[in-house]
Amino acid sequence: MRETGTLICWATAISVSQRFFYTLSPALKAAQTEIQSFRFFSRPVLINGPFGSGKNSFAFLLYQNNNHQNSPLAVIDCSFAEGKDWDYFINHEDSPLYGTGYTIFFKDIHLLNQRQQNQLLTILRTTALNRRNQLIFSCILDSCSTFDENILRNEIVNTMQALTITIPALNDRREDIPNLATLYLSEFNAQIAKQTVAFEPEALQLLQEFNWTNNLYQMRSVIQELTLCSESSFITEKETRKVLAKISEEDASSQKNESLSLEGTLDEITKRIIRQVLKEENMNQSSAAKRLNIGRSTLRRHLL
């Protein structure tokens, strides 16, 4: 399922490659054991992990394994929680909040502002939402004090006794990088009708040693570029070193100069400022928008 840029997205069939969940990481193995036993109970689940760590995929795996898997999945993208869409979601009788037998996935719940968190808290406390539906939440803890220190998180974790699953950063599960790299390579081969068979051992070693600042999102982008620029059936050490050097240079340049550069059009300068603030706010759109004194829809429009 792809992101649609809307608050509510319905899905009836989710397919996630099981190879994505193959892991040598002890922390991730523990999380998977909890997920595999999930069908036997109906507690809410809170999935915590850094930006780009694969929280969505684990939410979809939970959906595949719970007792509501034959009913639709409602994905609530909290980065789009504003205006009429949010009012409809909270108040309208056709909202998934007032249905029964669904799986409702609140994606990036930490992005809700204080008012929205209070509104959702009221729904949770007064409508028995978690007894009528399977609830899954994802968040980046320690990125938004209005959620970390708020009674909504306390309600989810302590009162509702949510199962908490922590997804480690890619830098903390480097043993999984060869498998993930091969998985992404197969995906891009199919998309561009190419037959890049594998990585040279030295290329894989470079991938395992790289500092992945944006986790799987960044790695997927790197493998896509390597697939496109590969000149043989194997991705070489030279090609990998070149792409990773470029990524490192872009990261360094962004951190040091992006917010200071006044080159280009007003729109380009605005984008650089917004991207810099986003990085400083751990990619939290709500916090970045608040700091810039603009709405989240305005922030996203500038990034298009």
Side-chain angles (χ1 to χ4, degrees):
M1 187 185 71
R2 297 183 182 277
E3 296 182 12
T4 61
T6 60
L7 175 63
I8 306 174
C9 181
W10 289 93
T12 54
I14 295 292
S15 178
V16 183
S17 171
Q18 290 301 308
R19 186 168 180 175
F20 177 85
F21 301 101
Y22 173 79
T23 181
L24 298 173
S25 164
L28 211 52
K29 282 184 177 180
Q32 288 182 345
T33 298
E34 293 177 306
I35 289 173
Q36 288 166 358
S37 64
F38 182 64
R39 67 174 71 248
F40 300 110
F41 54 92
S42 56
R43 290 160 57 191
V45 179
L46 177 66
I47 306 174
N48 171 46
F51 175 78
S53 57
K55 296 185 293 295
N56 293 352
S57 295
F58 279 88
F60 299 152
L61 181 65
L62 283 165
Y63 171 62
Q64 291 175 343
N65 283 274
N66 74 40
N67 295 326
H68 298 290
Q69 60 181 286
N70 294 322
S71 299
L73 167 69
V75 180
I76 313 304
D77 189 340
C78 295
S79 66
F80 293 95
E82 56 189 356
K84 294 181 179 179
D85 287 344
W86 177 257
D87 291 339
Y88 174 94
F89 174 65
I90 288 294
N91 299 308
H92 200 280
E93 61 181 8
D94 290 336
S95 166
L97 292 178
Y98 302 101
T100 299
Y102 299 134
T103 296
I104 306 178
F105 171 33
F106 293 87
K107 175 185 172 185
D108 293 331
I109 194 171
H110 61 283
L111 296 181
L112 296 179
N113 61 37
Q114 189 67 67
R115 178 182 65 86
Q116 293 163 341
Q117 290 185 43
N118 291 339
Q119 288 175 312
L120 182 56
L121 178 65
T122 299
I123 296 292
L124 291 173
R125 287 179 168 177
T126 61
T127 70
L129 180 65
N130 62 304
R131 292 196 290 272
R132 293 181 288 107
N133 302 280
Q134 177 61 60
L135 304 184
I136 303 173
F137 307 89
S138 74
C139 69
I140 304 175
L141 293 183
D142 303 320
S143 67
C144 182
S145 60
T146 59
F147 179 72
D148 294 336
E149 302 169 4
N150 194 268
I151 53 177
L152 175 60
R153 179 172 180 267
N154 181 70
E155 182 78 13
I156 294 170
V157 174
N158 297 319
T159 304
M160 295 167 53
Q161 296 186 318
L163 170 67
T164 300
I165 296 173
T166 299
I167 310 300
L170 186 56
N171 288 336
D172 295 327
R173 47 181 295 212
R174 295 182 184 276
E175 60 269 44
D176 290 341
I177 287 177
N179 172 67
L180 292 167
T182 302
L183 179 65
Y184 290 139
L185 179 62
S186 298
E187 176 187 340
F188 293 125
N189 271 332
Q191 289 180 7
I192 62 178
K194 215 176 172 186
Q195 290 302 317
T196 306
V197 178
F199 298 83
E200 289 184 351
E202 296 81 3
L204 278 179
Q205 183 176 351
L206 287 173
L207 293 174
Q208 287 187 283
E209 294 172 351
F210 188 70
N211 180 34
W212 300 100
T213 55
N214 285 318
N215 296 290
L216 297 180
Y217 286 172
Q218 188 178 42
M219 182 180 178
R220 190 175 186 276
S221 176
V222 165
I223 303 304
Q224 182 180 37
E225 185 166 353
L226 286 171
T227 307
L228 289 169
C229 71
S230 175
E231 298 179 353
S232 69
S233 57
F234 284 84
I235 292 177
T236 66
E237 175 189 9
K238 181 180 178 180
E239 292 165 341
T240 304
R241 192 179 297 279
K242 180 178 179 180
V243 171
L244 293 180
K246 184 182 74 170
I247 297 298
S248 296
E249 184 178 343
E250 289 175 353
D251 281 349
S253 175
S254 174
Q255 292 174 6
K256 293 179 180 179
N257 303 319
E258 190 173 51
S259 63
L260 301 177
S261 174
L262 298 179
E263 298 292 331
T265 65
L266 177 61
D267 185 56
E268 291 169 343
I269 295 170
T270 302
K271 284 183 179 180
R272 286 196 290 270
I273 293 173
I274 289 176
R275 286 171 180 158
Q276 180 64 24
V277 172
L278 271 171
K279 289 181 180 179
E280 292 175 4
E281 297 294 333
N282 295 312
M283 305 308 292
N284 185 320
Q285 293 185 6
S286 181
S287 297
K290 182 177 180 180
R291 179 172 158 186
L292 292 165
N293 197 28
I294 59 176
R296 277 181 288 179
S297 59
T298 302
L299 182 145
R300 289 193 295 272
R301 187 171 64 250
H302 280 297
L303 294 175
L304 295 177

